[in-house]
Amino acid sequence: VHIAAVCSGTNAEMVKRLGADEAIDYRIGPFADQLATQGKFDVAFDFVGGSESERGAARVLRRGGQFITACGPMAGIGDRKLTCCEFSGWMCGVMGRLMKSMCCCCCARVTYEFAGGMPPLKARDFNAVVIEAGIRPEIALEVPFTEAPLRAALARVASRHTKGKVVMNMEHAEMPSREAAAVSHAADVRHEEVEEIGGDANEVSNEPSVQ
C-alpha cells in the first residue's frame, strides 16, 4: 500500500509520521499534476469538497477506483448555514453522482461514494479497529469545558488548520496556567479570523488523500 497525503509543506513531516509514504504540498500546484508521473491509485479520500478536488482525484485514480468524499460537490461545506437553494443544489449534486455511479457503472470511470457517519461502536468493534489496529489520533489541543477555552477550540476548528483532533475535557474545569494562557491568546488571535471564515475557501489545508 502506498499512501500519498495532500497537505501544506509545513505539515509534511507530521503526515509522514502518521503513516503517509509521501506528502504532496498543495501550495506548489495541483496535487494531480504532482502525482501525474506515478501509477494510478485505488482510493482517494476527499475532506475538502468541490469540483476541483473531484476532478483532480479522477485524474489520479485507476479505472474502477473509489472516490470517497466527506463533503460532496461543495467546498467548505459546514462553514456557514446554506440557503434552501444552496442545500438543494448540494443534495442534488450528491444524489446525482451516487446514482450515476450505481446505475451507470459501465460508463462511470470511478466509483463515487459519500462517507456517512458510522453507527455507534460496540466494545468488540472498538477493540478491533482501535486497540488491536493501534490507531492513535494526533491530539492538537485539549481544553477544559469552560467558555474561553471552548471559544478558542471552536475557532481553531473553524480555521481548518487544527493539525489534529481538538479535545474538550468534560472532567476538568481548570488547566495549568501556561496552557490556559496559550488558549486565551489563541482565542484573541483567531477571533477576527472566525468572523471571515465563510468567505475564504482557498486557504483550507485538508486536501484529498490518495492511496
Side-chain angles (χ1 to χ4, degrees), residues 8 16 40 140 143 159 162 168 176-177 187 192 204:
S8 64
K16 288 180 181 178
K40 298 295 185 179
V143 299
S159 74
T162 59
M168 299 179 186
S177 58
E192 186 171 329
V204 296

Side-chain angles (χ1 to χ4, degrees), residues 41-43 61-67 109-112:
F41 291 84
D42 297 308
V43 185
L61 285 169
R62 65 171 176 79
R63 186 173 187 83
Q66 293 177 285
F67 176 73
R109 185 177 176 277
V110 299
T111 300
Y112 186 95

